[in-house]
Amino acid sequence: MKTQTLTPDRAGFDCAAALLGEGQLVAFPTETVYGLGGDARDDMAVARIFEAKGRPRFNPLIVHVPSVDVAKQYVTWNDDADRLASAFWPGPMTLVLPLKPNSGLSTLVTADLPTLAIRVPEHTVAKKLLETFGGPVAAPSANPSGKISPTSAAHVTAGLSGRIAAILDGGPCGVGLESTILGLSDTPTLLRPGGLPSEAIEAALGAPLARHHTGDPLTAPGQMTSHYAPGAPMRLNATDLHENEMLLGFGSVDATLNLSPAGDLIEAAANLFGYLHKMDALEPETIAVSPIPDHGLGRAINDRLRRAAAPRP
Ligand code: TXA
Ligand code: MG
């Protein structure tokens, strides 16, 4: 794939929005760091984000929207959210709130969690892109997994050129640090320190923030072993089918549901959570799962399958 560099003018925004509409990926500047954007409603687009970054896990992603009103369409709002959004949005702050049912977002965006991380960015190029596109944009930092977050278009090119459709070049990022992430589902909690100092947040809330102490707080919620495990036990790497089993297939096998008959890992990732839920609804005694190649997105898929198959507490 040849990665286009787009300038932030009318033609550039139109092109970027059209690419997003086709499920392609566009890197764009925010005031914190460059984000790797994809349509948050499109499973294939979100799967491509994980593929392009080479992420070995399906961490939940931040969804970017143009306004507080749009944010309220996706999450259940509360007083703390109101106070903080009035004080700091648009800006380098992400709020984690309960995801509304029927949000229309890809289950991959939230890694199937019941909460959503959402933010209204301040950068004029990010705002203009969100307005032109007219939909929610999922965007992790636009760097390959494990590398430093990019604060210029050149950083993005160095890391992701050839792996994404376009880069919208809006110059260097002002803040240069990722957004501060706050959990607001109950007691306001600092999940990740970032571009907005916690003192400012505590002043606006009129109360101290709780801190998260367990390792990497941001990947933890999506990685709990029991999370999203289906009701039935699972047998992975199944090359045959036992009695009373239903097969979640991959590749050219006869299966109850097939993650990707063509053996395409991006398609399989896009279908993963939805199909686990569908299999569950069929109430099989055991879910057998075809072997998934352990490279590229296959590693993230296998990571999730192993968690889903882990012994239940
Ligand atoms: O400044 C930023 O926040 C940049 C720009 C592009 O907006 N984005 C960014 O995204 O840093 P990313 O994917 O690199 O980091 C998002 C973090 C991850 O550590 C993820 O685990 C956490 O947000 N996160 C997302 N959804 C969550 C949720 N529902 N609960 C807890 N943590 C969540
Ligand atoms: Mg990152």
Side-chain angles (χ1 to χ4, degrees), residues 32 35 55 60 62 64 115 117 119 140-141 178-179 181 192 218 221:
T32 59
R55 269 199 183 175
I62 297 172
H64 299 69
T115 53
R119 119 170 157 91
S141 49
E178 278 103 341
S179 62
I181 306 185
R192 177 178 75 183
L218 298 164

Side-chain angles (χ1 to χ4, degrees), residues 183-241:
L184 292 187
S185 293
D186 43 78
T187 311
T189 302
L190 181 66
L191 296 178
R192 177 178 75 183
L196 181 67
S198 51
E199 289 83 354
I201 296 163
E202 291 176 332
L205 281 175
L209 285 166
R211 255 67 175 177
H212 218 287
H213 291 293
T214 50
D216 177 1
L218 298 164
T219 51
Q223 290 181 17
M224 274 151 39
T225 316
S226 58
H227 171 60
Y228 87 91
M234 295 177 65
R235 186 168 70 86
L236 305 185
N237 296 309
T239 49
D240 56 354
L241 198 60

